[in-house]
Amino acid sequence: LSLSLVPDLDRLVVLEHQPDERFSVVEQQIDHVATVTGASAIIETSLYEAASAERVPMAILMDTYRVLGHAVDFQRDIQPGDTFSLGYEMLDDGELGPRHPGNLVYASLTLGERTLSIHRYTTRDGYTGFFNTAGRSIETSLMRTPVEGGRLSSLFGKRNHPVLGYTRMHKGLDFAAPRGAPVLAAGDGIVEKRERFGGFGKYIRIRHNETYKTAYAHLSRYAEGLQPGDRVTQGQIIAYVGATGVATGPNLHYEVLADDKPQNPVKLDLPPRLVLTGDELARFQRSTAEQLAAFPVNTTRKPEPSLPNPNPLQAKDG
């Protein structure tokens, strides 16, 4: 007679049987009640373990890796004793479903003497991204780590090939990761190649602009429906980690090419996607001040092992 369905986080679909044996379909947006909450802790082994111990939802943690992956090497930059603070939404849909995580709104990492703080912000013309305290977008045109849960296992440069047994140039980075881990598009672009490619096994190459391309190899499978010529956006899942081609185990081989010449992804100095100035910068600064007033996080010193939760901010989503 009727069916109510929540197919994703923001939509309610209602089907009702009509007297003429047809079904009417009504779709409406879900009005969430958003509570901003957070977590802060000292990192003993890894950000993943520290955040998990504070019960940070996995979706928020993955967003943190994705966003901060533009500026932080999670394998080499983080040391025991560093600290993190996160602010994020928890959404209440009332009778439509349980509470679930919404957007990451704030993140701060203190790495030794360096503190990196970022804030989610939407510009007047509708661009939403993360910006540092100076109003510079943390997102660059290409991500440093385009795989979720990857561990950097091999650097750019000459090396003794683990399978072939002789020295040759390694033209990218290798990230050891579980088989099936999502591989992300490092930047906006067009899929130029999606096929088996010699020792690379299953392979994807994306053209981002007239200068830069990125390549992804040893994949287990491609994202469903992805074809050459498709347009992709930064952070979109394009494939999954595997060990196809010449590989000792599951890993992602990642290359950045400038004018078709391999570049060291670690040393690339890419400009921010957006820099706020003038009235937009002033608006951003007001927004972040309000955000921090509702979520008081001390980023100037390392927190004590146990911190009270920040004061919640009740607000309608949007």
Side-chain angles (χ1 to χ4, degrees), residues 18 21 23 50 100 122 129-130 210 219 269-270 273 295:
Q18 302 298 316
E21 301 304 323
F23 284 89
H100 53 88
T122 300
F130 285 87
E210 294 181 356
L219 310 170
D269 185 16
L270 297 166
R273 297 185 76 177
F295 180 70

Side-chain angles (χ1 to χ4, degrees), residues 24-315:
S24 65
V25 181
V26 177
E27 180 179 325
Q28 66 185 60
Q29 290 294 111
I30 296 175
D31 291 326
H32 309 291
V33 176
T35 302
V36 178
T37 186
S40 302
I42 295 175
I43 299 171
E44 299 295 343
T45 54
S46 69
L47 174 61
Y48 175 84
E49 291 189 5
S52 297
E54 296 297 316
R55 299 183 179 179
V56 174
M58 183 59 65
I60 297 299
L61 183 55
M62 289 299 98
D63 274 351
T64 303
Y65 274 109
R66 176 184 60 81
V67 175
L68 290 179
H70 295 275
V72 176
D73 182 334
F74 288 101
Q75 285 73 46
R76 294 185 294 178
D77 290 349
I78 294 180
Q79 302 296 326
D82 291 339
T83 64
F84 80 89
S85 295
L86 299 177
Y88 54 90
E89 296 173 334
M90 289 299 294
L91 306 180
D92 187 347
D93 297 344
E95 297 179 354
L96 296 179
R99 280 165 51 86
H100 53 88
N103 293 315
L104 174 69
V105 297
Y106 171 85
S108 179
L109 279 177
T110 298
L111 310 174
E113 299 301 317
R114 169 194 175 204
T115 296
L116 173 64
S117 298
I118 60 171
H119 303 261
R120 180 183 175 90
Y121 175 70
T122 300
T123 63
R124 284 191 176 93
D125 60 4
Y127 173 81
T128 299
F130 285 87
F131 297 81
N132 66 15
T133 53
R136 293 171 64 87
S137 170
I138 196 69
E139 292 101 338
T140 58
S141 54
L142 297 177
M143 297 172 63
R144 291 180 183 269
T145 308
V147 59
E148 293 187 358
R151 174 181 60 82
L152 187 61
S153 57
S154 186
L155 296 171
F156 182 94
K158 289 186 177 181
R159 67 167 184 174
N160 187 44
H161 195 280
V163 177
L164 302 178
Y166 57 84
T167 300
R168 62 184 290 184
M169 184 67 181
H170 187 231
K171 298 179 180 179
L173 301 177
D174 287 347
F175 294 94
R179 188 184 303 272
V183 175
L184 313 177
D188 300 344
I190 296 175
V191 177
E192 191 174 69
K193 194 168 189 173
R194 194 227 68 164
E195 61 186 36
R196 279 191 168 269
F197 188 37
F200 286 127
K202 290 186 177 180
Y203 174 92
I204 290 175
R205 188 167 67 230
I206 298 174
R207 174 167 51 82
H208 300 285
N209 52 38
E210 294 181 356
T211 301
Y212 286 105
K213 300 178 183 180
T214 54
Y216 315 76
H218 305 312
L219 310 170
S220 61
R221 60 189 177 94
Y222 308 112
E224 185 176 354
L226 188 72
Q227 296 293 334
D230 287 352
R231 184 172 294 278
V232 294
T233 59
Q234 189 175 68
Q236 178 180 332
I237 296 175
I238 56 172
Y240 300 88
V241 168
T244 56
V246 181
T248 58
N251 78 98
L252 170 69
H253 175 80
Y254 172 56
E255 291 186 5
V256 176
L257 302 100
D259 297 323
D260 292 323
K261 296 180 181 179
Q263 307 292 313
N264 186 345
V266 172
K267 294 185 177 181
L268 280 178
D269 185 16
L270 297 166
R273 297 185 76 177
L274 185 63
V275 177
L276 304 178
T277 59
D279 291 342
E280 193 71 74
L281 177 59
R283 180 171 177 263
F284 165 74
Q285 291 170 338
R286 290 192 299 271
S287 172
T288 56
E290 293 171 0
Q291 190 179 88
L292 290 177
F295 180 70
V297 176
N298 186 350
T299 60
T300 61
R301 64 177 177 86
K302 295 182 179 180
E304 299 300 323
S306 179
L307 288 179
N309 286 332
N311 295 328
L313 170 66
Q314 296 286 342

